[in-house]
Amino acid sequence: MTTQLAPPATNPLTTPKAGYTAAAGRWAGALAGALAIFSVLLIAKGANPVSVFGQMMASTFTGASVEQIVIKAAPLILAAMAVVLPARAGLANVGGEGQVIIGAVAGAGVGLVVQGPAALPLMLVAGALGGAVWAGLAVALRVTVGVNEAVTTLLLNYVALDVMLYLIYEPWKDAHGSGQPATPPLSVEQRLPLLSGTAVHAGIILALLAAVAVWLTLRHTAFGFRLAVTGGNPEAARRAGLPVARLLMTAMLLGGALAGLAGVIQLAGVEFKLRPGLTTNIGYIAFLAAWLARHNPLPATAAAFLLAAITVGGDSLQLDSGLPAATVNVLMALILLAVLGWTAKRSPS
Amino acid sequence: MSDLVVDVLTGAVRGGTAIMFAALGETVSERAGVVNLGTEGSMLVGALAGYAVAAETGSPWAGVAAGAVAGGLLALVHAVMVVWRRADQFATGLTVMFLGLGLTSLFGAAYVGRAAPGFDPVKLPILGDLPVVGEVLFQHDPVTYVSFAAAPLLWWWLRSTRGGLLLRTAGERADVLHVHGYRPGLIRGAAVVAGGALAGIGGAQLATAYAHAWFEGMTAGRGFIAVALVIFAAWRPLWVMAGSYLFGAALALAPALQARGESLNQFALDALPFLITLAILAILGRRTLRAAPEELRRVFT
């Protein structure tokens, strides 16, 4: 019943199943085009695209690489949900990067003072709160004085980065470390446990649970429906008596909390200390994953795995073909451009 | 003390120039109604193209020209996507940024650590000897002197020429252009490409005059700073100029203090321009977007 009332066209929940075959065809075409352009660039660089792709494929589907993909996908999924949830209410959260950083900072801060079995849960809570606060700053400006959230979240990314750098270059710097700017490493009980028999940390469980929870919320709850109405037509929502400002705040705070969690699991599952390159563009890549999936939670999860796989493929580029690892950004960008520009119904820009 | 002021002001001009070119480029693009987060990418390809061409030809001026071409070509991708494919501006801009990051990484490895002829500071006759002002303004590289003229020129061009009027109309009321037989999409696309070319010049200045080197990711967020600056400046070129020097001053203050034995955390200062911008947005509130080009406001809602 809610599906009848949901906003049309842009909400794929209402799209008939028949559309999926055509969409799959467009996706395949877009991917092939992106690979073709990337091949031309590789040839220009004197590399053989067939062997490069072969090696990427071969090394991406070894056991160790699959584990790497899952590890990289976990924070991407959470940070993608941080885009998906506000987007349903019509908010553009470009600040995932900053919220991830502040999440990691808050988690690390708790880690500095709390030891023992309570440390990890407290770190996760602190990270979520940190991310929520950071997103809250932007949405507060939006609902009180009407400043656009895309602008403020983008600006806050840089403030977040400076906050982290400030802390790790001075007050939180590891006095016994190698002189590198970083916090002292987390103790073993502060780290996320590994899934038995693998190198994958438990953060992936958290991420998948969050994705399902976001999907259920948007699909099956009154709150999700109200968000969709607000996103579809804020004026109509206001006239229908919906608390628009509160809905916007809630969506953004929840989104920020999820991005903050992404930061903590990256800290407690992978890095174990705050250091300058901690986030590796998680927030920005997740924003693109959410866009690839047109802001739908479960497809966004799949997109996060896809982008994680491409990133892991970049490491094999470096090892096997001697190309710089960042080269993989070209492949990622080409695939995204193909999908953004040639697979979807044209949305007004 | 006055010594410190001179150092910081000189550093503001030195460090602010690359950001100013990029921010002026973003102004051109946004006045026509298109946000380009890919400015960071245009700066990067401009920096690499500038450095590489300077190394290969021996002429840094050829490098600057190559930087403009490279920055413009990358922006062309953004233009095609948002103007003709109607893709989302934020998502496309970020993607173009990643494209620039990847391309420069793929083709730039050969130039890391390689020497190339660059621009050296030239002290202008008479002007360069003026007390304080001479040192702050007139002992820079030639590209910086060009940049002094860039913002006033853009201000004049936007305000007083037919081209400027067409560009502003594309950003305010594209329908009006339609009625008069113009193609707003074409004007917008040209503005995005021209904006990318300016960002490319900024990148080339960064590589051949500021850093005298190429390394991966060397723009370090300056392109995003440029996007923020344009909002800070409320889409006005002369304010863009002032804002760029404010950023440059924030960059220059910490090293200048450290050279005098004062310790100061660089990052507290780096955050300052962003916090000032946020404060201005908060105070002006809805009015900031009221200053925005009409068509741009649709992107922001």
Side-chain angles (χ1 to χ4, degrees):
Chain A
M1 265 177 313
T2 52
T3 45
Q4 283 174 339
L5 292 165
T10 52
N11 188 345
L13 300 177
T14 60
T15 323
K17 290 269 177 208
Y20 284 120
T21 345
R26 284 198 301 270
W27 270 73
L31 290 178
L35 287 175
I37 298 173
F38 190 58
S39 302
V40 171
L41 288 171
L42 287 176
I43 292 166
K45 193 65 195 146
N48 178 353
V50 177
S51 71
V52 168
F53 287 135
Q55 279 160 347
M56 267 180 88
M57 282 300 191
S59 58
T60 302
F61 293 108
T62 62
S65 293
V66 171
E67 287 182 341
Q68 276 306 310
I69 292 170
V70 175
I71 291 168
K72 283 204 197 279
L76 282 178
I77 293 169
L78 284 166
M81 294 309 128
V83 182
V84 165
L85 202 59
R88 190 54 59 99
L91 292 169
N93 181 11
V94 200
E97 188 76 3
Q99 292 145 22
V100 169
I101 291 173
I102 293 299
V105 165
V110 169
L112 285 176
V113 288
V114 185
Q115 290 294 336
L120 185 60
L122 281 176
M123 285 165 65
L124 290 170
V125 171
L129 282 176
V133 165
W134 213 245
L137 290 175
V139 78
L141 283 175
R142 161 74 190 251
V143 297
T144 54
V145 287
V147 181
N148 178 265
E149 76 288 347
V151 176
T152 47
T153 50
L154 191 62
L155 288 169
L156 283 166
N157 287 344
Y158 287 91
V159 182
L161 185 62
D162 286 329
V163 167
M164 180 178 83
L165 292 174
Y166 173 80
L167 290 170
I168 62 180
Y169 270 86
E170 265 171 32
W172 289 3
K173 189 171 174 182
D174 185 2
H176 310 291
S178 57
Q180 297 290 326
T183 54
L186 298 178
S187 64
V188 175
E189 54 192 1
Q190 290 173 328
R191 301 180 185 186
L192 281 167
L194 298 181
L195 301 183
S196 61
T198 69
V200 178
H201 62 76
I204 186 66
I205 307 283
L206 211 57
L208 292 175
L209 284 176
V212 172
V214 168
W215 176 72
L216 283 174
T217 305
L218 293 181
R219 184 85 171 77
H220 290 294
T221 66
F223 171 67
F225 177 64
R226 287 189 187 121
L227 281 188
V229 172
T230 308
N233 187 341
E235 192 49 42
R238 197 169 291 122
R239 282 171 195 239
L242 291 181
V244 171
R246 210 168 69 208
L247 285 166
L248 294 180
M249 297 273 294
T250 314
M252 196 69 165
L253 289 172
L254 286 174
L258 290 169
L261 266 185
V264 197
I265 67 161
Q266 188 68 5
L267 174 78
V270 179
E271 300 279 350
F272 307 132
K273 49 188 171 184
L274 281 186
R275 57 171 195 90
L278 176 97
T279 60
T280 55
N281 288 330
I282 288 168
Y284 294 117
I285 297 175
F287 182 83
L288 294 169
W291 254 100
L292 270 184
R294 313 266 143 206
H295 298 143
N296 285 290
L298 299 184
T301 307
F305 274 108
L306 173 71
L307 295 184
I310 294 174
T311 317
V312 172
D315 299 339
S316 91
L317 271 181
Q318 187 160 31
L319 292 175
D320 302 332
S321 313
L323 297 166
T327 299
V328 79
N329 285 324
V330 178
L331 182 59
M332 186 179 83
L334 288 171
I335 291 174
L336 282 161
L337 287 174
V339 173
L340 285 169
W342 278 272
T343 61
K345 222 169 274 158
R346 292 185 176 194
S347 59
S349 62
Chain B
M1 187 63 208
S2 69
D3 207 35
L4 174 69
V5 173
V6 169
D7 270 11
V8 170
L9 290 178
T10 311
V13 175
R14 221 176 94 72
T17 300
I19 297 173
M20 173 160 74
F21 275 116
L24 289 175
E26 185 70 19
T27 307
V28 171
S29 180
E30 292 194 13
R31 286 298 279 266
V34 180
V35 179
N36 187 1
L37 293 185
T39 294
E40 175 82 7
S42 280
M43 278 191 94
L44 263 180
V45 297
L48 174 60
Y51 198 74
V53 168
E56 301 296 342
T57 65
S59 158
W61 285 110
V64 171
V69 171
L73 281 176
L74 193 71
L76 181 63
V77 176
H78 188 65
V80 168
M81 291 290 293
V82 302
V83 176
W84 286 283
R85 302 303 309 175
R86 309 232 167 200
D88 176 78
Q89 298 195 358
F90 291 119
T92 305
L94 279 181
T95 306
V96 168
M97 187 273 286
F98 279 110
L99 185 62
L101 208 59
L103 284 174
T104 52
S105 157
L106 181 60
F107 291 101
Y111 293 94
V112 176
R114 189 171 154 184
F119 291 103
D120 292 314
V122 180
K123 190 173 161 183
L124 291 188
I126 305 169
L127 288 172
D129 291 322
L130 292 172
V132 185
V133 179
E135 199 178 324
V136 170
L137 291 179
F138 300 116
Q139 298 182 14
H140 288 284
D141 63 278
V143 186
T144 299
Y145 296 133
V146 174
S147 78
F148 291 159
L153 260 178
L154 180 62
W155 170 77
W156 167 81
W157 186 81
L158 281 173
R159 181 176 159 274
S160 310
T161 67
R162 186 172 180 77
L165 179 65
L166 286 175
L167 185 129
R168 282 186 289 126
T169 314
E172 300 284 356
R173 285 285 153 81
D175 298 347
V176 175
L177 287 177
H178 254 309
V179 171
H180 288 270
Y182 292 100
R183 292 169 65 186
L186 212 58
I187 295 170
R188 250 184 221 166
V192 173
V193 172
L198 279 169
I201 294 175
Q205 193 269 349
L206 191 70
T208 60
Y210 183 83
H212 288 280
W214 157 260
F215 50 93
E216 217 178 285
M218 72 178 296
T219 51
R222 284 180 175 83
F224 285 118
I225 290 172
V227 176
L229 247 175
V230 176
I231 300 159
F232 167 82
W235 297 272
R236 290 170 297 188
L238 297 178
W239 281 90
V240 165
M241 191 172 188
S244 306
Y245 292 150
L246 179 69
F247 262 94
L251 290 174
L253 185 56
L257 283 175
Q258 271 157 11
R260 287 165 178 75
E262 307 276 340
S263 89
L264 193 71
N265 194 306
Q266 171 72 49
F267 306 104
L269 280 173
D270 284 356
L272 208 57
F274 296 108
L275 292 172
I276 294 173
T277 309
L278 281 166
I280 290 175
L281 287 173
I283 293 163
L284 295 182
R286 287 184 176 80
R287 268 175 293 165
T288 37
L289 272 190
R290 219 166 281 156
E294 188 91 13
E295 302 273 337
L296 199 64
R297 257 186 273 169
R298 290 189 204 167
V299 182
F300 279 131
T301 44

